[in-house]
Amino acid sequence: MKKLAILLGITVMLGGCGRTESYPVGTDVTVEKKDGANVAGKLVEVKPEQIVLEARDGAKTEVPKSQIASLKPMTAVVEPPRAADAKPAGAPGNSASAKDGSALPPPVAPEPPRAPQPNETANAAAPKRPEFREVTVPSGTTLSVTLGTSVASDTSKVEDPVRATLKAPVSVEGVQALPAGTAVLGNVTSAVRAAKVKGLASIGVRFHTLDLPGEGGRHEISTATITREAKPTKKKDATKIGIGAGAGAVIGGIVGGGGGAAKGAAIGGGAGTAAVLATRGDEIRLPAGTTLPVKLTAPLTIRIEK
């Protein structure tokens, strides 16, 4: 090993430069020539009259010793590390430490997400509240309703429930206050069956509550009583009596002649009258699907969504 070191430490004698400097073969040097030109490269060979420098690209240059003004070791140019080879700041230069990660800085934990502020949470969780306004349906307004319950003078009883639905919507100042299909609730207020001699059949109904669809809720209303009365049957009764008298006269004439005919007429008339007296008049019936006008007797104020 000592002999090898001696061989590598060949002395380079610079001719004409006034002083002697020696560098081992393999040293990166810069040669300044007497004409001012510089030649840089690795010192690879020293000949009696010249030296040989090898550039990084492998090209070799022979520089005569007589042209050398000075020879200096080349200052190492530190190149910036490539992105793939860059080391974290503060990491030691030991490649083994970099590979096994023992000298790398500890990983930085990600910053936890920012906790929402109370106001933000409240605003996000609370749904937007709907806005409402009040509208008033004036007294005297007529609601057109369709019966869902059948009522009749001979079958209904006072206080029987009656249910109907609003046939057409009701608007106030261009705003729909009561939509079609709104339930209208009421009761039978009177039910009079037809009599045999006097008295006509009648049925009375009054509505007291509106049940709006969805979350509209129930609202009490004041309405006029709706009354329906059967028509008189005088003409029908007279016809019955006339038919009875005619039939009696015919029968009397066949049995007893002229006197019998007059007598039969009296008998026939009495039979017709008895039939009328034994028969009740017409009943009044309002089946489901019947449309009725319901008149408000007091204003109705409700809240509707804007």
Side-chain angles (χ1 to χ4, degrees):
M1 295 296 295
K2 292 182 179 181
K3 292 182 178 181
L4 180 59
I6 294 174
L7 292 176
L8 293 177
I10 300 175
T11 303
V12 180
M13 302 299 295
L14 301 179
C17 64
R19 59 193 183 91
T20 300
E21 296 180 358
S22 61
Y23 300 98
V25 174
T27 303
D28 291 330
V29 296
T30 299
V31 176
E32 182 180 355
K33 300 172 67 175
K34 293 181 178 179
D35 58 4
N38 292 329
V39 181
K42 183 186 294 184
L43 182 62
V44 295
E45 188 177 356
V46 179
K47 298 181 178 180
E49 301 295 333
Q50 57 194 7
I51 62 174
V52 181
L53 303 180
E54 182 179 0
R56 291 187 177 183
D57 58 1
K60 295 183 179 180
T61 303
E62 293 185 351
V63 182
K65 294 181 178 179
S66 59
Q67 297 181 7
I68 296 175
S70 65
L71 185 145
K72 299 178 181 179
M74 186 184 301
T75 303
V77 178
V78 179
E79 296 183 357
R82 292 177 297 176
D85 300 333
K87 298 179 182 180
N94 191 328
S95 60
S97 299
K99 288 181 180 179
D100 61 17
S102 60
L104 296 177
V108 179
E111 183 178 353
R114 183 178 67 88
Q117 300 300 317
N119 291 340
E120 297 176 351
T121 304
N123 293 336
K128 186 178 179 181
R129 295 183 178 179
E131 296 181 0
F132 293 88
R133 59 170 293 189
E134 287 189 347
V135 295
T136 299
V137 182
S139 176
T141 301
T142 299
L143 312 178
S144 179
V145 303
T146 302
L147 282 179
T149 306
S150 298
V151 294
S153 59
D154 58 341
T155 58
S156 297
K157 297 179 181 180
V158 175
E159 296 300 326
D160 282 353
V162 179
R163 185 179 181 90
T165 55
L166 198 61
K167 185 176 181 179
V170 176
S171 297
V172 178
E173 299 177 358
V175 178
Q176 181 174 281
L178 303 175
T182 297
V184 188
L185 310 177
N187 296 95
V188 174
T189 58
S190 66
V192 179
R193 189 177 181 184
K196 293 180 180 180
V197 179
K198 292 184 179 180
L200 300 177
S202 65
I203 187 76
V205 176
R206 186 176 66 83
F207 293 95
H208 52 71
T209 302
L210 284 179
D211 189 1
L212 295 173
E215 299 180 358
R218 291 192 172 193
H219 298 268
E220 292 185 0
I221 57 174
S222 178
T223 66
T225 300
I226 301 171
T227 303
R228 293 289 182 268
E229 189 176 59
K231 293 181 179 180
T233 59
K234 291 182 180 180
K235 291 184 179 180
K236 189 184 298 184
D237 294 342
T239 302
K240 289 180 182 180
I241 294 173
I243 291 174
V250 173
I251 295 171
I254 294 173
V255 174
K263 187 177 181 179
I267 296 171
T273 303
V276 170
L277 294 176
T279 304
R280 291 181 179 275
D282 293 340
E283 302 292 346
I284 184 70
R285 295 182 176 89
L286 302 178
T290 302
T291 300
L292 297 176
V294 178
K295 185 177 182 180
L296 295 178
T297 57
L300 169 65
T301 301
I302 60 174
R303 297 174 69 238
I304 63 172
E305 187 173 348
K306 289 185 179 180

